Amino acid sequence: MKNVGTSMAGVESSVRTVEVRLVESCVLGFLMETLSDGRLVVYLPGVPGALVGTLHIMDADRVRILDLPVSKALDILSRLGVGLKDVQI
């Protein structure tokens, strides 16, 4: 995960950890930017390798910004979700 942290270090200050509502579940992701029409560019990382994932353009009503640092979210993802119960989301 050090490589992931290093790779995201250049954008981490502008990236926010988010919860994305899918059809029947929610996933952790990262808000990369907001488009001019209000839609959001969201990266959904793979688990446990967060550098492989999918990029989505989503309506804002499906995304909730979390008060969870990107580094902590990456750590939780690398541990297959262990530790998520210990953070306030």
Side-chain angles (χ1 to χ4, degrees), residues 8-17 30-34 41 65 70:
M8 292 192 77
V11 294
E12 184 169 351
S13 62
S14 62
V15 172
R16 304 289 307 270
T17 304
F30 301 103
L31 174 59
M32 304 310 288
E33 62 183 8
T34 301
V41 178
I65 296 174
V70 169

Side-chain angles (χ1 to χ4, degrees), residues 63-88:
V63 178
R64 182 171 65 101
I65 296 174
L66 301 176
D67 186 23
L68 180 63
V70 169
S71 57
K72 180 67 176 172
L74 288 169
D75 182 53
I76 290 168
L77 290 167
S78 74
R79 292 184 288 130
L80 304 174
V82 174
L84 192 57
K85 69 178 175 83
D86 299 326
V87 298
Q88 184 73 29

Side-chain angles (χ1 to χ4, degrees), residues 40-52:
L40 305 177
V41 178
V42 177
Y43 174 69
L44 299 181
V47 174
L51 280 182
V52 176

